Amino acid sequence: MYNISQLKELLKEKKMHEKFSLIYGGDENSISEAYKRLEETIKHFESIDKSEEIYLFSASGRTELSGNHTDHNNGCVLTASINLDKLAIVSKRNDNKIVVYTDYSNNPDVVDINNLEIDKNEYGKSNALSRGVCAGIKKEGYNIGGCTISLNNKVLIGSGLSSSASFESLIGEIQNALYNDDKISKVDIAKIGQYAENIYFGKPCGLMDQMGCSVGGIMSIDFKDNNNPIIEKVEYDFESNGYALMIVDAKGDHSSLTNEYAAIREEMNAIADYFGKKVCREITKKELIDNASKLREKIGDRAVMRAYHFIEENERVINQINALKNDDIKTYIKLMNESGLSSFMYLQNCYSVTSSKNMGVALAICLTKDFLKGEGACRVHGGGFAGTIQALIPLEKSEEYKKYMNNVFGEGSAVKIRVRQAPVCEI
């Protein structure tokens, strides 16, 4: 907790450097930008709230390193928090309202958390996430309370970096710090975020996004027991091994794609149900192939291929984790390319079947492969259909690649990202 004068002094004397270094992966450009963002956020906060006692929070976005659509069928993933975050100045309120001003706006989103009923009119909106997180916290026996938030966002909406999960983690951590003496674990904050997104926001996501935003660093997560996921930190620095980790936003429209995302989970679950199982994690590739004739007749060809993707991808995640542990970047790159090919061919989430003009992800993969000429790797990133790809680019070619992709998809489309070690946190 700070008072405004104290925070201004720390900012003026550049005394936030150590904390910012942990949050932004030691990247000096991001740290310098954070000082400027904080200065602007303080100015905005003073224009909307006269509270002397304030709190400062950061919640990162996340990148999916491996495990495309494996988490919702109790699979394995490799994920990482990144140096693009939501930075927020917060004060307490005594009226049980959560009031959120985003990027210095004067028109806040307001949620009265005296009412925690599901409102289907809020589906797909940030208010649903605030209400859902508070409902999840209360459901777990913790306290909730009101707050005013001035939020500066670098986790771009629709970028595939889990802006919604980052927001859920932020709201959860604010409630944790202000009203629960930090008693809620980062894992439980992630689970509460997933609950909010599934039940209140209306998106049937797995738990990977929330874990990536909440826990921090590169981590392998095994969701075999979804209530008690096995989490292991993995230490690796791509840049010191000659590669830049990059994402490219292909600027697709996500607004009409919820049904396409949901169909992946529904089809995989239908395959599992055929075998009397709940999820594809409980079936083998041999069982799938031996029953392919009956499955394609009863459920359909695409469902069989999506289940095949899951089984192969789940094994691939484990092999990629081992490649990083063994400092074997060549094997990791080979497996990353295989993952991208599997998503394109079998999972089929690199473009929407509803529009032949909305194929930005597929085009970005096409252009990246042409640029790399076999030197690095690329794959669809996150949910797919529209949004982003992830690429590993030889470090000396990263700026050239950025210009190359920006020329096609617009300035700022290609971004170099770094792994952040800090979890969602009060600074």
Side-chain angles (χ1 to χ4, degrees):
M1 183 176 67
Y2 305 91
N3 61 53
I4 281 283
S5 299
Q6 178 190 20
L7 190 55
K8 283 182 175 178
E9 192 64 27
L10 289 171
L11 189 64
K12 181 180 178 182
E13 295 180 6
K14 303 289 186 184
K15 289 188 175 180
M16 304 291 288
H17 214 80
E18 185 176 338
K19 292 181 177 180
F20 282 163
S21 182
L22 180 63
I23 288 169
Y24 299 109
D27 176 36
E28 290 300 324
N29 289 332
S30 294
I31 292 169
S32 177
E33 183 182 46
Y35 277 110
K36 293 176 184 176
R37 291 169 62 202
L38 182 53
E39 184 177 5
E40 291 299 315
T41 307
I42 290 172
K43 288 178 183 177
H44 177 260
F45 185 85
E46 288 184 303
S47 74
I48 60 168
D49 193 300
K50 301 305 178 186
S51 299
E52 276 298 312
E53 291 186 349
I54 60 170
Y55 304 78
L56 182 61
F57 293 87
S58 170
S60 76
R62 74 94 185 95
T63 188
E64 170 197 285
L65 296 175
S66 183
N68 196 223
H69 284 277
T70 52
D71 57 332
H72 52 63
N73 264 248
N74 293 31
C76 299
V77 301
L78 184 64
T79 187
S81 56
I82 60 171
N83 59 325
L84 301 178
D85 73 330
K86 297 180 189 294
L87 185 67
I89 294 177
V90 181
S91 65
K92 284 186 174 182
R93 299 176 66 96
N94 58 14
D95 60 0
N96 265 10
K97 290 181 179 178
I98 295 179
V99 181
V100 183
Y101 295 81
T102 302
D103 291 334
Y104 320 130
S105 72
N106 293 315
N107 298 305
D109 291 320
V110 181
V111 176
D112 185 344
I113 56 173
N114 287 305
N115 173 20
L116 296 177
E117 295 296 317
I118 298 167
D119 182 354
K120 291 187 177 180
N121 292 322
E122 288 183 342
Y123 274 10
K125 298 176 182 177
S126 62
N127 281 1
L129 299 178
S130 295
R131 197 183 308 279
V133 167
C134 288
I137 289 172
K138 194 167 184 179
K139 181 170 169 280
E140 294 301 317
Y142 295 106
N143 303 316
I144 58 174
C147 56
T148 297
I149 303 170
S150 178
L151 170 64
N152 177 259
N153 179 35
K154 288 295 180 184
V155 188
L156 301 179
I157 297 170
S159 66
L161 299 174
S162 295
S163 181
S164 58
S166 177
F167 184 75
E168 294 151 16
S169 298
L170 177 68
I171 296 298
E173 184 63 13
I174 289 170
Q175 294 293 321
N176 189 27
L178 270 58
Y179 296 106
N180 292 283
D181 297 321
D182 294 317
K183 292 177 181 176
I184 310 175
S185 73
K186 306 304 184 194
V187 171
D188 284 338
I189 286 173
K191 290 178 181 178
I192 288 165
Q194 184 200 22
Y195 169 80
E197 191 150 347
N198 287 175
I199 306 303
Y200 281 74
F201 191 77
K203 184 176 179 181
C205 66
L207 187 56
M208 177 181 65
D209 294 357
Q210 290 78 10
M211 293 289 280
C213 293
S214 183
V215 176
I218 298 177
M219 70 202 82
S220 66
I221 311 171
D222 187 337
F223 290 111
K224 186 173 184 178
D225 180 354
N226 210 37
N227 291 319
N228 298 286
I230 299 171
I231 305 166
E232 182 183 359
K233 286 293 185 82
V234 180
E235 300 295 332
Y236 197 80
D237 185 341
F238 289 103
E239 290 196 15
S240 69
N241 285 277
Y243 289 89
L245 186 62
M246 303 188 73
I247 57 116
V248 179
D249 184 358
K251 304 293 176 67
D253 181 5
H254 290 251
S255 61
S256 61
L257 295 174
T258 297
N259 289 340
E260 297 223 43
Y261 298 133
I264 292 177
R265 188 171 187 170
E266 290 166 1
E267 290 177 16
M268 286 188 188
N269 287 350
I271 295 290
D273 185 64
Y274 175 87
F275 293 99
K277 307 295 184 181
K278 289 185 178 180
V279 289
C280 284
R281 178 68 180 262
E282 299 174 343
I283 65 174
T284 67
K285 184 166 73 171
K286 185 177 187 305
E287 287 175 322
L288 181 72
I289 293 173
D290 285 350
N291 289 272
S293 178
K294 294 177 182 178
L295 287 167
R296 63 190 301 252
E297 180 181 347
K298 184 174 181 179
I299 304 170
D301 293 341
R302 189 174 68 174
V304 176
M305 288 190 289
R306 283 176 164 173
Y308 180 87
H309 163 84
F310 170 87
I311 294 167
E312 289 279 289
E313 183 81 346
N314 204 50
E315 183 67 26
R316 194 157 31 238
V317 171
I318 296 168
N319 291 334
Q320 285 186 264
I321 292 166
N322 289 332
L324 292 185
K325 288 180 177 179
N326 294 327
D327 197 21
D328 184 356
I329 191 65
K330 288 185 178 179
T331 296
Y332 181 89
I333 286 172
K334 174 179 177 290
L335 293 167
M336 180 174 169
N337 280 319
E338 288 178 6
S339 172
L341 189 62
S342 180
S343 290
F344 209 122
M345 292 175 61
Y346 308 133
L347 186 63
Q348 297 186 18
N349 68 330
C350 290
Y351 54 86
S352 169
V353 296
T354 61
S355 174
S356 62
K357 292 185 178 180
N358 185 23
M359 298 178 72
V361 167
L363 178 59
I365 290 171
C366 168
L367 294 174
T368 300
K369 285 189 174 295
D370 183 71
F371 177 89
L372 287 172
K373 302 284 191 290
E375 286 189 88
C378 65
R379 62 193 283 276
V380 63
H381 182 258
F385 300 108
T388 60
I389 69 163
Q390 183 188 90
L392 267 182
I393 306 296
L395 202 54
E396 69 277 7
K397 294 185 176 182
S398 60
E399 288 303 312
E400 181 187 353
Y401 176 73
K402 187 185 294 185
K403 291 176 184 177
Y404 174 73
M405 298 305 277
N406 285 349
N407 283 337
V408 178
F409 296 102
E411 195 62 34
S413 299
V415 179
K416 184 192 294 184
I417 56 177
R418 288 181 170 85
V419 174
R420 152 182 168 151
Q421 296 302 322
V424 59
C425 60
E426 182 184 355
I427 302 174

